[in-house]
Amino acid sequence: MHSYQSPSDQTSSSISRTFWRYAIPSVAAMLVNGLYQIVDGIFIGQYVGYQGLAGINMAWPIIYIFAGIGLMIGMGSGSLLSINRGENSLTGDDKKLVSTKVNNTLASALLLVIGFGLIGSIVLNFSVDTLLLMQGGSGQTLLMAQQYTTPFTWSLVFTILAAAIPILVRNDESPNIATGLMVMGACLNIVLDYLLIVQFNMALQGAAIATISAQISVSILGIGYFISSKTDFKFNASAFIFSPKLARQIMILGASSFVMYLYTSFVFALHNRLFMEYGSSLTVGAFAIVGYLMVLYYFVAEGLGEGMQPPVSFFFGAREPKNIKRMFQLAAKVSISAGLLWVLILNLFPEAIIGLFNSEDRALMTETIVGIQLHLFAMFLDGFVVLAIMYFMAVNQGGRSLWISVGNMVVQLPFLFILPKIFGINGVWLAMPVSNLVIFAVVAPMVWRHLNSAIESGSELSRA
């Protein structure tokens, strides 16, 4: 097991090494996870066209909610595992007590996965068509969206588990194995996409089956890790029991992660509806490509946040606020710099990047370039908001994380209502970046005050 340095040993270089040890595998894992969507989009854009892109863009907000539930369970239980280790470094609790806590936490997380998966399958079976129609789905676009969502209806347990288990593996001090799981899943998804979409002409249904197959593989291998000799976890049947108290704590700590995904799903669905109202399925297809390009950075920011979380949770448990501040500042610099670089690349080489999805449809190309210019110019600020959410979660401030996540969603509503009435389609494109400016102006001072007040007072961060 990796052991953190004591407070006196922590220098800027050691903070940096600790950060990158977790950040690199986490970013890699998130980018690989993003390939599930992006590779689907590339194959569908090239071999089905803009109506296929519009269809999958209407299906993803629904599926994304359940991936968010998996992230909620993974982040919540992962944070508890890291906090327990940090506290143990101070109190010297015996290994038996720590093992009991770990068994209780993992048992509670697993039952949450199964419960949410089964309930989600029942609900989705009766509501999926309604959810697609609410986004403006019609004609061929609606049929393609139905093709994609149908295979997921009874496999949501694996969708949730595949999102949660790499986080648990990472927080078991095995970030490289967690990354390997995600890489394996993405590679399998790519191979199956080629076979099912290109060779067997199964269109969006093939893309869905490819993704589900990859999720099942990640889930099975992840469970295999926890019963192998690679883990420090020792299974104890008497302690591997569901705890309602721990389940509640897991959901509270991870709620902000779920709301982030709910926010993304809600915003994508509402944009789909507005683009169908003010434009057409071609506009939704362009929005799908812009969304893939945005998600690519979003996963970098989320990976940086997830990489920051284990050491920050440890430093929180060990009462080391100065090290927490250093860790957050480093993560923020990297996240904002990456966002600015991606915005620059997208604006310098838009046609080459859009061509990965479809280079022959000039109308789709033109509309997508407009979307890049208007919709993505402030996305690096959204990266900072993601870090802020992860930070408050890591220091056991689930309420603040949840508040920021909800605020990030709610603040867009007035802009989505007003701007399209003034600027038409351009107003829909502009709603998100304008709201990013507003939420950043509120969240950045909040994080700064929380960090500084804890250090200046010398108190625990939880009381800041």
Side-chain angles (χ1 to χ4, degrees):
M1 179 185 296
H2 173 74
S3 60
Y4 294 93
Q5 294 173 299
S6 66
S8 60
D9 292 330
Q10 289 290 348
T11 63
S12 295
S13 61
S14 62
I15 285 286
S16 180
R17 285 194 300 271
T18 300
F19 170 73
W20 287 114
R21 178 179 183 270
Y22 282 87
I24 290 175
S26 293
V27 170
M30 293 305 300
L31 286 175
V32 168
N33 189 36
L35 287 177
Y36 280 75
Q37 301 170 56
I38 294 169
V39 170
D40 285 349
I42 290 173
F43 277 106
I44 289 167
Q46 294 288 358
Y47 293 96
V48 181
Y50 73 84
Q51 286 188 324
L53 286 170
I56 199 171
N57 212 52
M58 290 186 174
W60 255 111
I62 300 170
I63 308 304
Y64 217 58
I65 291 174
F66 297 98
I69 291 173
L71 188 67
M72 172 185 73
I73 296 170
M75 289 299 296
S77 53
S79 294
L80 285 180
L81 295 179
S82 293
I83 289 172
N84 286 339
R85 286 196 175 98
E87 290 177 342
N88 184 50
S89 72
L90 284 183
T91 60
D93 290 341
D94 60 53
K95 291 184 177 181
K96 184 177 180 180
L97 177 58
V98 174
S99 176
T100 299
K101 290 180 180 178
V102 171
N103 272 272
N104 288 166
T105 300
L106 291 178
S108 301
L110 182 60
L111 198 60
L112 284 173
V113 167
I114 295 171
F116 276 113
L118 294 178
I119 293 170
S121 289
I122 294 170
V123 172
L124 194 59
N125 185 55
F126 291 103
S127 64
V128 65
D129 289 344
T130 301
L131 294 172
L132 293 172
L133 289 170
M134 288 173 63
Q135 297 179 65
S138 62
Q140 190 68 15
T141 300
L142 176 61
L143 290 174
M144 290 189 174
Q146 289 170 330
Q147 284 181 16
Y148 191 81
T149 51
T150 299
F152 280 95
T153 303
W154 300 110
S155 63
L156 290 177
V157 167
F158 293 105
T159 299
I160 296 171
L161 186 57
I165 206 156
I167 301 173
L168 293 173
V169 172
R170 183 203 67 200
N171 280 51
D172 193 55
E173 303 297 326
S174 296
N176 293 329
I177 293 177
T179 303
L181 281 176
M182 301 304 299
V183 170
M184 181 280 302
C187 290
L188 179 60
N189 187 50
I190 292 171
V191 171
L192 291 176
D193 267 340
Y194 174 76
L195 290 174
L196 298 178
I197 298 174
V198 181
Q199 297 297 321
F200 293 101
N201 197 30
M202 293 178 66
L204 271 70
Q205 184 182 41
I209 293 172
T211 298
I212 292 167
S213 299
Q215 291 172 343
I216 292 172
S217 300
V218 169
S219 299
I220 292 173
L221 290 176
I223 292 173
Y225 164 83
F226 279 106
I227 59 176
S228 73
S229 60
K230 297 287 186 182
T231 177
D232 289 320
F233 166 67
K234 302 301 179 186
F235 176 76
N236 182 347
S238 62
F240 198 80
I241 56 175
F242 177 78
S243 165
K245 180 180 179 181
L246 277 177
R248 179 175 178 273
Q249 197 170 1
I250 287 169
M251 288 190 291
I252 290 173
L253 278 177
S256 54
S257 292
F258 170 66
V259 173
M260 280 195 300
Y261 271 59
L262 183 64
Y263 148 72
T264 302
S265 297
F266 174 77
V267 167
F268 266 65
L270 188 54
H271 277 77
N272 287 335
R273 173 79 185 191
L274 291 171
F275 279 130
M276 289 294 287
E277 181 179 343
Y278 287 90
S280 65
S281 55
L282 176 71
T283 319
V284 177
F287 176 57
I289 297 175
V290 173
Y292 289 130
L293 300 176
M294 179 182 69
V295 160
L296 195 60
Y297 167 68
Y298 192 86
F299 277 129
V300 170
E302 193 171 332
L304 291 170
E306 289 190 12
M308 175 188 71
Q309 176 264 314
V312 166
S313 290
F314 179 91
F315 294 143
F316 170 75
R319 313 294 189 263
E320 302 175 24
K322 289 184 179 179
N323 289 330
I324 293 176
K325 182 176 181 179
R326 292 172 185 165
M327 187 69 68
F328 181 84
Q329 287 176 325
L330 178 58
K333 289 176 183 177
V334 174
S335 178
I336 292 173
S337 298
L340 288 170
L341 179 61
W342 187 227
V343 169
L344 180 63
I345 291 172
L346 289 176
N347 281 274
L348 288 177
F349 310 105
E351 294 198 3
I353 296 171
I354 296 168
L356 292 173
F357 298 89
N358 193 311
S359 58
E360 297 178 358
D361 192 327
R362 297 307 302 177
L364 179 63
M365 177 76 70
T366 300
E367 188 64 36
T368 307
I369 290 174
V370 172
I372 288 173
Q373 293 170 343
L374 297 181
H375 196 65
L376 301 184
F377 71 86
M379 66 177 176
F380 61 94
L381 298 179
D382 209 23
F384 179 89
V385 174
V386 169
L387 283 184
I389 291 168
M390 295 289 188
Y391 161 72
F392 282 118
M393 187 192 313
V395 297
N396 207 18
Q397 291 281 306
R400 296 196 192 198
S401 290
L402 183 59
W403 182 92
I404 296 171
S405 297
V406 173
N408 201 20
M409 178 171 59
V410 172
V411 74
Q412 291 197 42
L413 297 181
F415 295 112
L416 282 167
F417 178 76
I418 296 169
L419 294 182
K421 295 182 181 299
I422 301 173
F423 302 109
I425 289 178
N426 288 347
V428 184
W429 287 121
L430 284 168
M432 189 190 77
V434 173
S435 68
N436 284 346
L437 293 169
V438 174
I439 195 71
F440 175 80
V442 175
V443 170
M446 180 193 305
V447 174
W448 191 251
R449 285 196 301 268
H450 190 265
L451 286 166
N452 287 334
S453 62
I455 293 173
E456 290 170 2
S457 65
S459 63
E460 296 180 15
L461 277 169
S462 59
R463 297 176 181 171

